[in-house]
């Protein structure tokens, strides 16, 4: 999926040919993921992070389609995938914010005057995706709520063992000094490049969405 996204949006004709940006871009993108220590470790142990990351990346890709075309089915698909990402790992529900960002990029000056129905459609699709992956949020609401509160207390209020009460500091240190710190650096670089003057508008939209993700 990462290679497809790079091929689709970072080559001139979307075919991965040598026109514009070379085919090396999708290859490098794929290699960066394949050699990410954190991703390899999570894949080895089949953790929820891998599935959640896949759904989140797909949701961002669908959101780029919103920025490009803005069709109703793009909104629905992006919302559905965001809901599935949240279902796989609750804190990835934040990826749903990419949909309104893409909506703003698409509509610009008319964002406050139209398109609200499409955002509602995306929200409904997100809820459907979440319930599709987590049906017991409805079928056993009491246990779901109890487990959700436990996870919130464990990860936000209490922290991980050895990091009690300092989970925010733990995550910041992991980003800055962990094995994937170069991904953070390239993401920040992507944001800077996307904001540079002279960048083509359609390329800027894609760069900013993926760099933020």
């Amino acid at each position: 999926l990462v290679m497809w996204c790079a091929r689709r949006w970072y080559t001139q004709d979307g075919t991965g040919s040598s026109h514009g940006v070379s085919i090396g871009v999708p290859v490098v993108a794929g290699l960066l993921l394949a050699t990410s220590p954190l991703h390899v470790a999570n894949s080895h142990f089949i953790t929820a992070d891998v599935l959640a990351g896949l759904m989140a990346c797909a949701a961002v890709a669908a959101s780029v389609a919103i920025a490009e075309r803005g069709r109703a089915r793009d909104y629905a698909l992006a919302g559905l995938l965001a809901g599935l990402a949240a279902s796989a790992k609750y804190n990835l529900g934040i990826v749903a914010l990419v949909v309104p960002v893409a909506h703003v990029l698409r509509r610009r000056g008319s964002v406050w005057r139209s398109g609200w129905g499409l955002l509602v459609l995306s929200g409904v699709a997100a809820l459907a995706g979440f319930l599709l992956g987590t049906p017991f949020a409805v079928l056993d609401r009491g246990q779901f709520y109890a487990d959700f509160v436990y996870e919130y207390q464990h990860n936000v209020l209490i922290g991980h063992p050895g990091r009690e009460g300092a989970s925010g500091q733990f995550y910041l240190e992991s980003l800055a000094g962990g094995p994937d710190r170069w991904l953070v650096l390239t993401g920040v670089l992507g944001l800077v490049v996307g904001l540079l003057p002279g960048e083509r508008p359609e390329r800027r939209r894609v760069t900013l969405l993926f760099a933020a993700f």
Side-chain angles (χ1 to χ4, degrees), residues 12 14 28 81 85 87 95 97 111 129-130 145 184 192 197 209:
Q12 188 178 60
V28 169
L81 291 168
S87 173
V95 77
L97 294 177
V111 66
F130 179 79
Y145 178 76
V184 179
V192 173
L209 283 172

Side-chain angles (χ1 to χ4, degrees), residues 24-104:
V25 172
V27 171
V28 169
L31 284 174
L32 288 175
L33 178 65
T35 57
S36 165
L38 184 60
H39 180 70
V40 171
N42 285 331
S43 298
H44 176 77
F45 292 107
I46 320 178
T47 67
D49 305 73
V50 179
L51 176 60
L54 172 64
M55 294 295 103
C57 186
V60 175
S63 297
V64 172
I66 292 175
E68 288 184 338
R69 297 184 295 268
R71 301 173 301 185
R73 62 183 179 181
D74 297 326
Y75 282 85
L77 179 60
L80 178 68
L81 291 168
L84 288 171
S87 173
K89 195 163 186 177
Y90 299 152
N91 55 0
L92 268 183
I94 195 172
V95 77
L97 294 177
V98 177
V99 175
V101 170
H103 177 77
V104 171

